Amino acid sequence: MLYTTIMNPAELEKSKSFISVEIIEYIPNSIVSKTILKKSTGNISVMSFDSGEGLTEKTSPFDTFAQIIEGKAEIVIDGKSFYLNTGQSIIIPAHQANIVKANERFKMILTVIKSGYE
């Protein structure tokens, strides 16, 4: 698996319209991440996952809002699988183990609000 972060000097240009699903492309055998907005209080990023790729199990101290903007994702939270299609979202609770799997390729927006340790 190749994990690529698209580096940009800052987040996306403000006061300029964009289509979320079009700001990131798929790369074969890879996961690609691009920052939309990054602040000390949280961040928003868009990610693309090629089929068969995924993120290893992790636990975050903050709630994470995951919104599928293209395709279908499998998100496992504390051992329970959730299958989300385009337009569906889920909140991954803080302090719960989670895994993101691409049984087929998909794109999603992740929003983390760093409100403190719950």
Side-chain angles (χ1 to χ4, degrees):
M1 172 192 67
L2 176 66
Y3 184 80
T4 304
T5 300
I6 304 298
M7 301 304 291
N8 50 334
E11 56 259 355
L12 291 180
E13 185 178 341
K14 294 177 181 165
S15 300
K16 184 176 179 184
S17 175
F18 61 89
I19 298 172
S20 299
V21 75
E22 293 180 357
I23 62 173
I24 196 164
E25 297 299 325
Y26 295 104
I27 296 178
N29 306 310
S30 300
I31 300 169
V32 182
S33 175
K34 183 172 184 175
T35 301
I36 294 174
L37 190 64
K38 185 175 180 93
K39 303 293 179 191
S40 61
T41 53
N43 58 65
I44 302 170
S45 58
V46 64
M47 302 179 77
S48 69
F49 291 74
D50 195 21
S51 181
E53 300 300 326
L55 298 177
T56 58
E57 183 174 272
K58 65 179 178 114
T59 303
S60 171
F62 308 108
D63 288 339
T64 301
F65 177 74
Q67 178 184 12
I68 308 307
I69 58 174
E70 183 176 271
K72 182 177 180 179
E74 179 183 0
I75 297 179
V76 182
I77 302 171
D78 272 350
K80 182 177 179 185
S81 288
F82 298 87
Y83 296 91
L84 286 80
N85 293 305
T86 301
Q88 292 184 302
S89 304
I90 194 166
I91 296 172
I92 301 169
H95 310 293
Q96 290 195 8
N98 62 86
I99 303 168
V100 177
K101 296 181 182 180
N103 300 322
E104 60 184 67
R105 66 186 203 166
F106 72 93
K107 295 179 183 180
M108 74 175 170
I109 295 176
L110 285 180
T111 303
V112 179
I113 305 298
K114 297 178 181 178
S115 59
Y117 294 85
E118 277 79 31

